[in-house]
Amino acid sequence: MDIVTPGFRGRRRERDRALPPGQYLAEDFPVLSAGPTPRVRPEGWRFTIETETGETHAWTWAEFLALPAETPRVDIHCVTRWSKLDTEWRGVALDTLLAGVDTAADFVMAHSFDGYTTNVPLEDLLDGQSWIAYEYDGEPLDSEHGGPARLLVPHLYFWKSAKWVRGLTLSHADEPGFWESSGYHHYGDPWREQRYQGD
Amino acid sequence: MGRLDWRVARLAGHRDETPTARTLLLDVPGWPGHLAGQHVDVRLTAQDGYRAERPYSLAAPSGGDRVELTVQRIGDGEVSPFLTEEMRIGDPFELRGPIGGWFVWRPADPAPVLLIAGGSGIVPLRAMLRAREEVGSRAPFRLIYSVRTPEDVYYADELRTPRPGVDVRLVYTRKAPDGARTAPGRLGLAELNSHGWPAEFAPNCFVCGPTGFVETVADLLLALGHDARRVRTERFGPA
Ligand SMILES: Cc1cc2nc3c(=O)[nH]c(=O)nc-3n(C[C@H](O)[C@H](O)[C@H](O)COP(=O)(O)OP(=O)(O)OC[C@H]3O[C@@H](n4cnc5c(N)ncnc54)[C@H](O)[C@@H]3O)c2cc1C
């Protein structure tokens, strides 16, 4: 169906790279969250990975900062239609965190300090595809954008990159998280425009 | 037709709320209905196939094939100046929805409600006020609405004479009306304390507006003891 709206021309902006369908380029860094911004202090921060057998691996803030870090430069795409190119982060790759974890699980639920959850297949977190990020643009990640640390999975819509992340649970079953239970797509690939269930 | 397929909407009428905001009355055949607080995605297509899409809140409760949006014109924007100034009666475009299942008021919920709007953030909250009225709900509502000047109030007639059980408090940040007893200023703790609900009443709080406004207000609500799980937010973008 191609419904042309008479008189609409749009403001095409110059750009050297294609964006996923339906997205536009944002200069600022908008904020999308379902509730208030939790203020989490590094002193009370713990990051925990729990496997399908109940085995847990946990890091304090100091232990976490001592892990080898990477500085990914990635494009991010929010389901509310803004995209931002070449954003710079610093964080620990999930490959590093999962290296010593024994699991046969296929699915992951990310949990945040405010109760937020989101589901991601485990294979989408591995092979240099995701990080727990604690710096943005050379500065400590501020709380509005998920600090002290957030999940960063840039190849999926940005709601999958859980802010204020506190841990991951691994399991055999693919359960929906917070937005996924209220009509958003289970997987969320921006290039296939998987915004909502059924897309 | 799936629930979230694109549908053709036609502009059936409009009403200017302020010099920079316009309510669009749309006919959307087959509209599946919605809850107050939900939004739609609007898609405009140019002659050569170029497209632009933006989210807009539903401004009124569900009512057949009629859908209302209220759009604030952003000076250098791509979509909002077109919707508020150029679109003519009868013009078609596409929309899909309803979207969002969290920032919604459910008519069966009797709990007190605190609505806090900054600027165009009033749009989905007005849908909640109208939904309350339509279903005859007795849930007590309070609205705190922050605007720059008296000329910036949307839905001014409705808000001047609220229904029984609804309190409306306007906060002016730049210019207060003549004869006002309080000087203009930002919405702060004192105002929220005297015109909101006490945290012990466990109200459902809905906060909507520019990102900075929502951040500030949500923080103040937590400082006043409101449970974070009862504070639902919708951030429209930069101020
Ligand atoms: C869930 C949701 C619901 C929304 N509901 C409404 C609604 O009911 N009514 C409404 O008017 N808007 C609403 N918005 C905002 C709307 O989607 C657009 O962002 C807005 O209309 C600007 O689009 P534009 O194409 O005109 O500007 P763009 O071309 O996208 O942006 C132009 C410039 O304006 C800035 N800008 C973008 N958005 C805003 C904003 N909201 N305020 C101030 N500056 C901005 C940009 O940073 C940019 O510099 C909603 C947004 C969300 C996420």
PDB file of all heavy atoms in Angstrom, chain A residues 60-80:
ATOM      1  N   THR A  60      31.777  -7.515  41.940  1.00  0.00           N
ATOM      2  CA  THR A  60      31.538  -6.202  42.545  1.00  0.00           C
ATOM      3  C   THR A  60      31.998  -5.158  41.528  1.00  0.00           C
ATOM      4  O   THR A  60      32.604  -5.483  40.507  1.00  0.00           O
ATOM      5  CB  THR A  60      32.353  -6.008  43.830  1.00  0.00           C
ATOM      6  OG1 THR A  60      33.743  -6.024  43.470  1.00  0.00           O
ATOM      7  CG2 THR A  60      32.072  -7.103  44.841  1.00  0.00           C
ATOM      8  N   TRP A  61      31.727  -3.883  41.837  1.00  0.00           N
ATOM      9  CA  TRP A  61      32.118  -2.804  40.921  1.00  0.00           C
ATOM     10  C   TRP A  61      33.635  -2.827  40.695  1.00  0.00           C
ATOM     11  O   TRP A  61      34.102  -2.732  39.558  1.00  0.00           O
ATOM     12  CB  TRP A  61      31.658  -1.466  41.504  1.00  0.00           C
ATOM     13  CG  TRP A  61      31.867  -0.294  40.608  1.00  0.00           C
ATOM     14  CD1 TRP A  61      32.681   0.765  40.829  1.00  0.00           C
ATOM     15  CD2 TRP A  61      31.236  -0.064  39.338  1.00  0.00           C
ATOM     16  NE1 TRP A  61      32.610   1.653  39.776  1.00  0.00           N
ATOM     17  CE2 TRP A  61      31.732   1.170  38.850  1.00  0.00           C
ATOM     18  CE3 TRP A  61      30.314  -0.779  38.556  1.00  0.00           C
ATOM     19  CZ2 TRP A  61      31.329   1.706  37.615  1.00  0.00           C
ATOM     20  CZ3 TRP A  61      29.916  -0.247  37.336  1.00  0.00           C
ATOM     21  CH2 TRP A  61      30.425   0.969  36.883  1.00  0.00           C
ATOM     22  N   ALA A  62      34.399  -2.994  41.798  1.00  0.00           N
ATOM     23  CA  ALA A  62      35.864  -2.982  41.681  1.00  0.00           C
ATOM     24  C   ALA A  62      36.348  -4.180  40.852  1.00  0.00           C
ATOM     25  O   ALA A  62      37.218  -4.042  39.990  1.00  0.00           O
ATOM     26  CB  ALA A  62      36.505  -2.996  43.068  1.00  0.00           C
ATOM     27  N   GLU A  63      35.759  -5.331  41.085  1.00  0.00           N
ATOM     28  CA  GLU A  63      36.146  -6.529  40.309  1.00  0.00           C
ATOM     29  C   GLU A  63      35.809  -6.352  38.832  1.00  0.00           C
ATOM     30  O   GLU A  63      36.560  -6.745  37.948  1.00  0.00           O
ATOM     31  CB  GLU A  63      35.418  -7.774  40.856  1.00  0.00           C
ATOM     32  CG  GLU A  63      35.945  -8.233  42.201  1.00  0.00           C
ATOM     33  CD  GLU A  63      34.995  -9.196  42.926  1.00  0.00           C
ATOM     34  OE1 GLU A  63      33.828  -9.379  42.475  1.00  0.00           O
ATOM     35  OE2 GLU A  63      35.421  -9.742  43.947  1.00  0.00           O
ATOM     36  N   PHE A  64      34.658  -5.726  38.612  1.00  0.00           N
ATOM     37  CA  PHE A  64      34.193  -5.538  37.241  1.00  0.00           C
ATOM     38  C   PHE A  64      35.132  -4.602  36.466  1.00  0.00           C
ATOM     39  O   PHE A  64      35.512  -4.881  35.331  1.00  0.00           O
ATOM     40  CB  PHE A  64      32.769  -4.975  37.292  1.00  0.00           C
ATOM     41  CG  PHE A  64      32.120  -4.836  35.964  1.00  0.00           C
ATOM     42  CD1 PHE A  64      31.701  -5.955  35.271  1.00  0.00           C
ATOM     43  CD2 PHE A  64      31.920  -3.589  35.409  1.00  0.00           C
ATOM     44  CE1 PHE A  64      31.104  -5.841  34.028  1.00  0.00           C
ATOM     45  CE2 PHE A  64      31.319  -3.461  34.177  1.00  0.00           C
ATOM     46  CZ  PHE A  64      30.908  -4.588  33.498  1.00  0.00           C
ATOM     47  N   LEU A  65      35.529  -3.493  37.130  1.00  0.00           N
ATOM     48  CA  LEU A  65      36.418  -2.535  36.457  1.00  0.00           C
ATOM     49  C   LEU A  65      37.800  -3.129  36.194  1.00  0.00           C
ATOM     50  O   LEU A  65      38.531  -2.644  35.335  1.00  0.00           O
ATOM     51  CB  LEU A  65      36.565  -1.264  37.298  1.00  0.00           C
ATOM     52  CG  LEU A  65      35.317  -0.397  37.432  1.00  0.00           C
ATOM     53  CD1 LEU A  65      35.657   0.905  38.145  1.00  0.00           C
ATOM     54  CD2 LEU A  65      34.685  -0.097  36.080  1.00  0.00           C
ATOM     55  N   ALA A  66      38.147  -4.175  36.952  1.00  0.00           N
ATOM     56  CA  ALA A  66      39.463  -4.794  36.774  1.00  0.00           C
ATOM     57  C   ALA A  66      39.490  -5.762  35.588  1.00  0.00           C
ATOM     58  O   ALA A  66      40.560  -6.202  35.165  1.00  0.00           O
ATOM     59  CB  ALA A  66      39.863  -5.515  38.063  1.00  0.00           C
ATOM     60  N   LEU A  67      38.308  -6.069  35.021  1.00  0.00           N
ATOM     61  CA  LEU A  67      38.272  -6.992  33.873  1.00  0.00           C
ATOM     62  C   LEU A  67      38.765  -6.274  32.618  1.00  0.00           C
ATOM     63  O   LEU A  67      38.666  -5.045  32.517  1.00  0.00           O
ATOM     64  CB  LEU A  67      36.835  -7.481  33.647  1.00  0.00           C
ATOM     65  CG  LEU A  67      36.223  -8.342  34.755  1.00  0.00           C
ATOM     66  CD1 LEU A  67      34.734  -8.553  34.483  1.00  0.00           C
ATOM     67  CD2 LEU A  67      36.940  -9.687  34.838  1.00  0.00           C
ATOM     68  N   PRO A  68      39.282  -7.037  31.645  1.00  0.00           N
ATOM     69  CA  PRO A  68      39.717  -6.407  30.403  1.00  0.00           C
ATOM     70  C   PRO A  68      38.548  -5.683  29.723  1.00  0.00           C
ATOM     71  O   PRO A  68      37.467  -6.266  29.590  1.00  0.00           O
ATOM     72  CB  PRO A  68      40.186  -7.574  29.535  1.00  0.00           C
ATOM     73  CG  PRO A  68      40.093  -8.803  30.357  1.00  0.00           C
ATOM     74  CD  PRO A  68      39.466  -8.494  31.663  1.00  0.00           C
ATOM     75  N   ALA A  69      38.772  -4.428  29.339  1.00  0.00           N
ATOM     76  CA  ALA A  69      37.692  -3.641  28.731  1.00  0.00           C
ATOM     77  C   ALA A  69      37.940  -3.442  27.241  1.00  0.00           C
ATOM     78  O   ALA A  69      39.068  -3.545  26.764  1.00  0.00           O
ATOM     79  CB  ALA A  69      37.590  -2.292  29.432  1.00  0.00           C
ATOM     80  N   GLU A  70      36.841  -3.139  26.528  1.00  0.00           N
ATOM     81  CA  GLU A  70      36.934  -2.833  25.102  1.00  0.00           C
ATOM     82  C   GLU A  70      36.255  -1.489  24.859  1.00  0.00           C
ATOM     83  O   GLU A  70      35.477  -1.031  25.692  1.00  0.00           O
ATOM     84  CB  GLU A  70      36.226  -3.926  24.287  1.00  0.00           C
ATOM     85  CG  GLU A  70      36.876  -5.284  24.479  1.00  0.00           C
ATOM     86  CD  GLU A  70      36.147  -6.401  23.734  1.00  0.00           C
ATOM     87  OE1 GLU A  70      35.165  -6.111  23.021  1.00  0.00           O
ATOM     88  OE2 GLU A  70      36.582  -7.555  23.878  1.00  0.00           O
ATOM     89  N   THR A  71      36.557  -0.865  23.725  1.00  0.00           N
ATOM     90  CA  THR A  71      35.922   0.416  23.400  1.00  0.00           C
ATOM     91  C   THR A  71      35.206   0.330  22.053  1.00  0.00           C
ATOM     92  O   THR A  71      35.695   0.819  21.042  1.00  0.00           O
ATOM     93  CB  THR A  71      36.950   1.563  23.355  1.00  0.00           C
ATOM     94  OG1 THR A  71      38.032   1.133  22.532  1.00  0.00           O
ATOM     95  CG2 THR A  71      37.477   1.892  24.726  1.00  0.00           C
ATOM     96  N   PRO A  72      34.024  -0.302  22.067  1.00  0.00           N
ATOM     97  CA  PRO A  72      33.287  -0.434  20.813  1.00  0.00           C
ATOM     98  C   PRO A  72      32.781   0.920  20.303  1.00  0.00           C
ATOM     99  O   PRO A  72      32.443   1.808  21.095  1.00  0.00           O
ATOM    100  CB  PRO A  72      32.119  -1.346  21.176  1.00  0.00           C
ATOM    101  CG  PRO A  72      31.965  -1.231  22.652  1.00  0.00           C
ATOM    102  CD  PRO A  72      33.331  -0.952  23.200  1.00  0.00           C
ATOM    103  N   ARG A  73      32.740   1.059  18.980  1.00  0.00           N
ATOM    104  CA  ARG A  73      32.178   2.229  18.313  1.00  0.00           C
ATOM    105  C   ARG A  73      31.054   1.688  17.440  1.00  0.00           C
ATOM    106  O   ARG A  73      31.313   0.964  16.472  1.00  0.00           O
ATOM    107  CB  ARG A  73      33.281   2.838  17.464  1.00  0.00           C
ATOM    108  CG  ARG A  73      32.977   4.182  16.885  1.00  0.00           C
ATOM    109  CD  ARG A  73      34.167   4.577  16.008  1.00  0.00           C
ATOM    110  NE  ARG A  73      33.867   5.777  15.289  1.00  0.00           N
ATOM    111  CZ  ARG A  73      34.127   7.004  15.753  1.00  0.00           C
ATOM    112  NH1 ARG A  73      34.745   7.173  16.892  1.00  0.00           N
ATOM    113  NH2 ARG A  73      33.780   8.056  15.055  1.00  0.00           N
ATOM    114  N   VAL A  74      29.813   1.998  17.812  1.00  0.00           N
ATOM    115  CA  VAL A  74      28.668   1.309  17.188  1.00  0.00           C
ATOM    116  C   VAL A  74      27.531   2.270  16.853  1.00  0.00           C
ATOM    117  O   VAL A  74      27.465   3.376  17.374  1.00  0.00           O
ATOM    118  CB  VAL A  74      28.122   0.206  18.136  1.00  0.00           C
ATOM    119  CG1 VAL A  74      29.167  -0.876  18.393  1.00  0.00           C
ATOM    120  CG2 VAL A  74      27.657   0.805  19.469  1.00  0.00           C
ATOM    121  N   ASP A  75      26.628   1.804  15.978  1.00  0.00           N
ATOM    122  CA  ASP A  75      25.400   2.541  15.670  1.00  0.00           C
ATOM    123  C   ASP A  75      24.286   1.994  16.557  1.00  0.00           C
ATOM    124  O   ASP A  75      24.210   0.790  16.784  1.00  0.00           O
ATOM    125  CB  ASP A  75      25.001   2.327  14.207  1.00  0.00           C
ATOM    126  CG  ASP A  75      26.089   2.799  13.257  1.00  0.00           C
ATOM    127  OD1 ASP A  75      26.955   3.580  13.687  1.00  0.00           O
ATOM    128  OD2 ASP A  75      26.068   2.369  12.084  1.00  0.00           O
ATOM    129  N   ILE A  76      23.411   2.887  17.051  1.00  0.00           N
ATOM    130  CA  ILE A  76      22.302   2.418  17.884  1.00  0.00           C
ATOM    131  C   ILE A  76      20.971   2.897  17.298  1.00  0.00           C
ATOM    132  O   ILE A  76      20.888   3.969  16.694  1.00  0.00           O
ATOM    133  CB  ILE A  76      22.454   2.870  19.352  1.00  0.00           C
ATOM    134  CG1 ILE A  76      22.617   4.383  19.470  1.00  0.00           C
ATOM    135  CG2 ILE A  76      23.648   2.159  19.997  1.00  0.00           C
ATOM    136  CD1 ILE A  76      22.800   4.875  20.907  1.00  0.00           C
ATOM    137  N   HIS A  77      19.938   2.062  17.486  1.00  0.00           N
ATOM    138  CA  HIS A  77      18.644   2.297  16.856  1.00  0.00           C
ATOM    139  C   HIS A  77      17.530   2.103  17.868  1.00  0.00           C
ATOM    140  O   HIS A  77      17.338   1.005  18.379  1.00  0.00           O
ATOM    141  CB  HIS A  77      18.444   1.315  15.697  1.00  0.00           C
ATOM    142  CG  HIS A  77      19.604   1.268  14.756  1.00  0.00           C
ATOM    143  ND1 HIS A  77      19.928   2.320  13.932  1.00  0.00           N
ATOM    144  CD2 HIS A  77      20.545   0.322  14.550  1.00  0.00           C
ATOM    145  CE1 HIS A  77      21.015   2.010  13.235  1.00  0.00           C
ATOM    146  NE2 HIS A  77      21.408   0.803  13.582  1.00  0.00           N
ATOM    147  N   CYS A  78      16.788   3.186  18.159  1.00  0.00           N
ATOM    148  CA  CYS A  78      15.700   3.088  19.140  1.00  0.00           C
ATOM    149  C   CYS A  78      14.388   2.842  18.412  1.00  0.00           C
ATOM    150  O   CYS A  78      14.154   3.392  17.331  1.00  0.00           O
ATOM    151  CB  CYS A  78      15.604   4.379  19.957  1.00  0.00           C
ATOM    152  SG  CYS A  78      14.246   4.358  21.150  1.00  0.00           S
ATOM    153  N   VAL A  79      13.490   2.062  19.032  1.00  0.00           N
ATOM    154  CA  VAL A  79      12.207   1.741  18.401  1.00  0.00           C
ATOM    155  C   VAL A  79      11.349   2.995  18.242  1.00  0.00           C
ATOM    156  O   VAL A  79      10.468   3.036  17.391  1.00  0.00           O
ATOM    157  CB  VAL A  79      11.472   0.634  19.202  1.00  0.00           C
ATOM    158  CG1 VAL A  79      10.926   1.183  20.509  1.00  0.00           C
ATOM    159  CG2 VAL A  79      10.377  -0.013  18.372  1.00  0.00           C
ATOM    160  N   THR A  80      11.599   4.050  19.026  1.00  0.00           N
ATOM    161  CA  THR A  80      10.860   5.304  18.837  1.00  0.00           C
ATOM    162  C   THR A  80      11.418   6.093  17.646  1.00  0.00           C
ATOM    163  O   THR A  80      11.070   7.246  17.453  1.00  0.00           O
ATOM    164  CB  THR A  80      10.836   6.193  20.089  1.00  0.00           C
ATOM    165  OG1 THR A  80      12.184   6.578  20.408  1.00  0.00           O
ATOM    166  CG2 THR A  80      10.230   5.477  21.267  1.00  0.00           C
TER     167      THR A  80
END
